[in-house]
């Protein structure tokens, strides 16, 4: 009898659990997805399609997308709710207005009056839109910056933003740049052709990269040629992942090069893939760069249609980030490309061994690949002929803040910040005296003007508790306070922490709260800094203490009284 009852229980039909699928929402999702494959790694791409079409992602669309992709709704929700640019609306909540205006409030924009701009817009704009503060949008040289829909307003004022809204200017304009044909006319793709035709050996390219001493320009600084050599020795299939998620406050060099000479990067990318033997390429581009996305979409199509050896190129997928600074970390980017939350992986194993989809992966910052053609064609001695103070090579400095000529300045590695200001940036703004600087963005620490003669390059700043990272140099003056800028940086880290590990998630939030008080509790802050630096999983939490420690060490007078 008991056995019969057990069989009867097994025969009972399964009862569907959870939210039923809204057939109208399912039809809308399928219209947006068309005949594209329902692969898990494309989940973020499909969430973008819903967000773009409806300006938010509703609960019914999450359930419908999950059903269409054969995923659990919880899997879709956890990904959608992780990224800042997805407006997930729960059942019963009011969807946001169709137009969002974002005002950057990171370091350079704060100094340029972002808070006052934000308040003016909140008071002055009418209904049917919303105004939100935003982390760095990669336009620090034009601070303050507001984004109207996807249209960036440089040196923004309330009047300029209002004009854009009234004109319905919501799309990102595409600047003039060197397109495919112009690049060919300049000798472009000759290096790639020589490799494809066997006129140049891959081993010679790796040798040139190693001899040049070029290091990864995304911030970590690992020798590029050595990385190629390591990944090439791994078993096939191998992949190439290009990281263009430059979210570090103060950094905008990758955008600058993409909006001016994209094919120099694309050729370097294809050369790297050929030399290392990568069977597929993924380009991960931050969502804050819609103009770059248009350029890459257009120029990649030109390559696919017109390159003489196009049939021998590996497949290239352009992936769109969704507003998560943490995805600048290589393993978090890989997780995001795979359609997951961008949470850093524990290492080892390293991406060179177990990367995208479990395969050996060559991961590079965009600018690193940008220099491949020049280094190989002109020779590594050309690259090493530049440099000062015993350093070799060139660096692209993203300079912002209180200088006359902010922007991307290509200068010798090892230049000092004083030389950078005087020779490339036209000096300080009128009425401003050099008081201090961030040598490597928000995470690179803060140094006073009295330490403005330190060579700027990899490893030269380590002994001072700082690093150059991606060479985002933010200059501030006597009208600014290091403690206020350190708080700005810490709040950024708090907002951008992925939440995976407790030291970073709790430590950044607690530090920001303590720093917002009139008097800093040095003992508690130093204890938090030690825990974050020692126990955080990735570089975000490990570097978050740098601005705090630098204020204690180099600007103690700001904490007195």
């Amino acid at each position: 009898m008991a056995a019969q009852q057990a069989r009867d229980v097994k025969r009972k039909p399964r009862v569907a659990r959870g939210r039923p699928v809204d057939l109208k929402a399912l039809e809308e999702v399928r219209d947006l997805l068309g005949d594209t494959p329902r692969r898990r790694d494309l989940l973020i791409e499909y969430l973008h399609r819903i967000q773009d079409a409806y300006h938010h992602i509703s609960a019914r669309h999450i359930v419908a997308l999950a059903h269409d992709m054969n995923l659990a709704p919880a899997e879709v929700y956890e990904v959608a709710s992780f990224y800042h640019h997805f407006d997930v609306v729960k059942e019963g909540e009011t969807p946001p207005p169709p137009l969002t205006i974002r005002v950057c409030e990171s370091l350079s924009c704060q100094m340029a009056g972002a808070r006052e701009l934000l308040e003016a817009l909140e008071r002055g704009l009418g209904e049917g839109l919303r105004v939100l503060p935003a982390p760095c949008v990669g336009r620090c040289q034009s601070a303050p910056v507001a984004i109207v829909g996807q249209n960036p307003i440089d040196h923004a004022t309330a009047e300029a933003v209002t004009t854009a809204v009234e004109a319905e200017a919501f799309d990102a304009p595409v600047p003039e740049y060197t397109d495919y044909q112009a690049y060919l006319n300049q000798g472009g793709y000759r290096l790639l052709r020589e490799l494809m035709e066997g006129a140049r050996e891959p081993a010679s390219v790796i040798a040139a990269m190693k001899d040049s001493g070029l290091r990864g320009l995304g911030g970590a600084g690992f020798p590029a040629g050595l990385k190629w050599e390591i990944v090439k020795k791994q078993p096939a299939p191998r992949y190439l992942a290009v990281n263009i998620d430059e979210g570090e406050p103060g950094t905008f060099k990758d955008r600058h090069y993409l909006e001016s000479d994209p094919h120099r990067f694309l050729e370097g990318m294809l050369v790297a893939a050929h030399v290392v033997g990568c069977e597929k390429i993924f380009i991960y581009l931050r969502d804050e760069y819609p103009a770059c996305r248009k350029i890459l979409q257009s120029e990649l199509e030109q390559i696919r249609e017109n390159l003489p050896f196009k049939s021998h190129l590996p497949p290239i997928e352009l992936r769109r980030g969704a507003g998560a600074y943490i995805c600048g970390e290589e393993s978090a980017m890989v997780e995001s490309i795979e359609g997951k939350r961008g949470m850093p992986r524990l290492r080892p194993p390293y991406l060179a061994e177990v990367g995208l989809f479990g395969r050996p992966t060559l991961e590079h910052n965009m600018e690193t690949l940008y220099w491949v053609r020049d280094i190989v064609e002109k020779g590594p001695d050309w690259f090493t002929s530049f440099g000062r103070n015993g350093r070799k090579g060139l660096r692209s400095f993203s300079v912002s803040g209180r200088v006359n000529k902010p922007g991307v300045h290509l200068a010798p590695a090892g230049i000092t910040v004083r030389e950078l200001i005087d020779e490339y940036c036209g000096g300080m703004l009128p009425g401003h005296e050099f008081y201090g600087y961030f040598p490597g963005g928000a995470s690179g620490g803060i140094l006073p003007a009295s330490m403005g003669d330190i060579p700027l390059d990899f490893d030269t700043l380590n002994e001072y508790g700082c690093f150059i990272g991606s060479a985002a140099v933010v200059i501030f003056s006597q009208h600014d306070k290091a403690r206020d800028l350190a708080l700005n940086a810490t709040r950024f880290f708090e907002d951008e922490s992925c939440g995976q590990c407790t030291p970073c998630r709790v430590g950044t939030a607690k530090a920001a709260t303590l720093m917002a008080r009139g008097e800093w509790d040095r003992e508690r802050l130093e204890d938090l800094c030690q825990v974050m630096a020692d126990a955080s999983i990735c570089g975000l939490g490990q570097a978050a203490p740098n601005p705090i420690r630098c204020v204690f060490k180099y600007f103690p007078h700001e904490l007195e009284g």
Side-chain angles (χ1 to χ4, degrees):
M1 178 65 72
Q4 182 61 45
Q5 289 176 339
R7 286 192 292 271
D8 291 342
V9 168
K10 290 181 180 178
R11 293 191 186 113
K12 286 182 180 179
R14 294 180 61 189
V15 178
R17 299 194 177 192
R19 188 188 307 274
V21 178
D22 183 309
L23 296 182
K24 176 64 174 175
L26 183 60
E27 180 183 357
E28 292 168 345
V29 165
R30 287 176 172 170
D31 284 344
L32 290 173
L33 271 55
D35 59 358
T36 54
R38 296 333 194 236
R39 300 197 322 252
R40 169 59 196 263
D41 64 289
L42 294 173
L43 174 58
I44 293 173
E45 297 296 304
Y46 296 155
L47 288 169
H48 271 302
R49 295 190 186 188
I50 297 172
Q51 176 76 35
D52 290 345
Y54 298 100
H55 307 292
H56 67 280
I57 301 175
S58 66
R60 66 191 191 93
H61 281 133
I62 285 179
V63 174
L65 180 61
H67 175 82
D68 200 47
M69 297 186 70
N70 197 28
L71 297 171
E75 291 180 88
V76 178
Y77 176 80
E78 74 170 5
V79 173
S81 59
F82 179 85
Y83 295 92
H84 297 317
H85 290 184
F86 294 142
D87 290 309
V88 178
V89 178
K90 298 178 182 179
E91 188 173 5
E93 292 182 343
T94 302
L99 178 62
T100 297
I101 297 170
R102 290 181 166 85
V103 177
C104 177
E105 60 175 359
S106 291
L107 297 169
S108 298
C109 284
Q110 174 181 301
M111 288 189 284
R115 175 51 54 184
E116 293 77 9
L117 173 62
L118 187 63
E119 293 173 353
L121 292 175
E122 289 173 339
R123 290 192 307 266
L125 292 174
E127 298 180 356
L129 51 81
R130 63 175 174 170
V131 181
L132 296 176
C136 185
V137 296
R139 308 185 72 86
C140 316
Q141 83 279 27
S142 304
V145 178
I147 310 294
V148 179
Q150 291 189 339
N151 180 20
I153 309 298
D154 293 337
H155 306 294
T157 63
E159 293 75 18
V161 172
T162 301
T163 299
V165 171
E166 291 174 348
E168 298 185 358
F170 306 147
D171 292 329
V174 177
E176 292 186 7
Y177 64 92
T178 302
D179 63 11
Y180 175 75
Q181 189 58 53
Y183 184 72
L184 281 184
N185 295 341
Q186 298 171 3
Y189 291 107
R190 183 175 57 228
L191 170 61
L192 182 61
R193 184 179 67 249
E194 291 173 354
L195 282 164
M196 291 285 190
E197 295 175 350
R200 190 186 292 266
E201 290 296 323
S204 69
V205 176
I206 292 181
M209 294 294 291
K210 292 176 71 175
D211 291 344
S212 73
L214 180 69
R215 297 171 65 172
L217 297 173
F222 192 86
L226 178 59
K227 182 183 284 191
W228 291 22
E229 196 170 60
I230 291 171
V231 178
K232 188 176 177 66
K233 293 177 180 178
Q234 303 301 315
R238 297 176 287 272
Y239 298 138
L240 170 59
V242 184
N243 195 332
I244 320 180
D245 195 59
E246 58 171 1
E248 180 72 27
T251 307
F252 47 93
K253 62 181 178 62
D254 291 354
R255 179 183 61 79
H256 168 81
Y257 287 124
L258 282 175
E259 290 183 348
S260 56
D261 196 3
H263 283 279
R264 194 168 297 270
F265 145 65
L266 291 173
E267 183 172 10
M269 175 187 77
L270 291 170
V271 166
H274 179 81
V275 168
V276 177
C278 298
E279 298 182 16
K280 195 168 186 178
I281 299 172
F282 295 84
I283 303 174
Y284 190 86
L285 178 69
R286 71 180 306 204
D287 196 32
E288 290 86 347
Y289 290 172
C292 293
R293 187 165 65 252
K294 293 177 183 178
I295 290 170
L296 286 175
Q297 287 171 336
S298 173
E299 299 310 309
L300 285 171
E301 190 62 29
Q302 290 293 317
I303 288 173
R304 295 185 184 107
E305 292 181 359
N306 298 310
L307 267 182
F309 34 82
K310 58 190 177 184
S311 61
H312 299 290
L313 298 180
I316 305 170
E317 292 196 21
L318 177 60
R319 295 298 183 87
R320 180 178 171 185
Y325 166 72
I326 191 63
C327 289
E329 197 276 339
E330 61 177 11
S331 66
M333 176 196 67
V334 164
E335 289 286 298
S336 189
I337 291 174
E338 292 181 357
K340 306 171 188 174
R341 294 177 294 170
M343 289 190 167
R345 298 176 178 177
L346 291 171
R347 291 170 289 185
Y350 296 93
L351 296 191
E353 302 167 309
V354 182
L356 269 168
F357 310 109
R359 300 308 308 164
T361 301
L362 176 65
E363 186 273 344
H364 265 313
N365 169 256
M366 175 249 139
E367 195 206 346
T368 311
L369 298 170
Y370 180 89
W371 291 110
V372 169
R373 176 189 166 190
D374 281 334
I375 287 172
V376 177
E377 289 187 344
K378 298 178 181 179
D381 291 344
W382 165 82
F383 190 74
T384 59
S385 68
F386 299 95
R388 293 186 186 178
N389 299 305
R391 313 300 295 185
K392 294 181 179 181
L394 288 166
R395 294 303 304 266
S396 301
F397 293 94
S398 303
V399 186
S400 61
R402 309 294 194 180
V403 293
N404 279 310
K405 296 180 181 178
V408 174
H409 297 290
L410 185 61
I415 194 172
T416 70
V417 73
R418 287 190 185 277
E419 293 169 335
L420 194 60
I421 293 170
D422 294 341
E423 298 176 30
Y424 291 83
C425 302
M428 299 291 292
L429 285 169
H432 291 266
E433 298 175 4
F434 180 34
Y435 176 54
Y437 64 109
F438 288 75
S443 60
I446 316 174
L447 292 172
S450 60
M451 301 177 68
D453 296 316
I454 302 170
L456 296 176
D457 198 13
F458 292 113
D459 310 321
T460 60
L461 299 158
N462 296 6
E463 63 182 293
Y464 307 105
C466 299
F467 57 79
I468 193 171
S470 56
V473 182
V474 182
I475 309 294
F476 57 97
S477 75
Q478 81 278 17
H479 298 298
D480 309 299
K481 288 187 176 181
R483 62 173 291 165
D484 294 339
L485 296 172
L487 174 58
N488 180 295
T490 304
R491 283 175 170 161
F492 172 81
F493 297 135
E494 177 189 3
D495 290 340
E496 296 296 333
S497 172
C498 74
Q500 181 177 192
C501 66
T502 302
C504 176
R505 181 183 67 251
V506 177
T508 53
K510 184 64 174 177
T513 300
L514 292 172
M515 294 165 71
R517 297 174 182 173
E519 184 176 349
W520 286 16
D521 186 332
R522 178 162 190 157
E523 183 177 353
R524 295 180 69 187
L525 280 170
E526 288 186 337
D527 185 52
L528 280 171
C529 287
Q530 192 65 48
V531 172
M532 285 191 285
D534 290 345
S536 295
I537 289 175
C538 80
L540 191 156
Q542 293 164 10
N546 290 344
I548 304 170
R549 286 173 160 170
C550 285
V551 171
F552 283 131
K553 190 173 183 179
Y554 302 119
F555 301 89
H557 54 281
E558 292 191 8
L559 304 175
E560 296 173 359

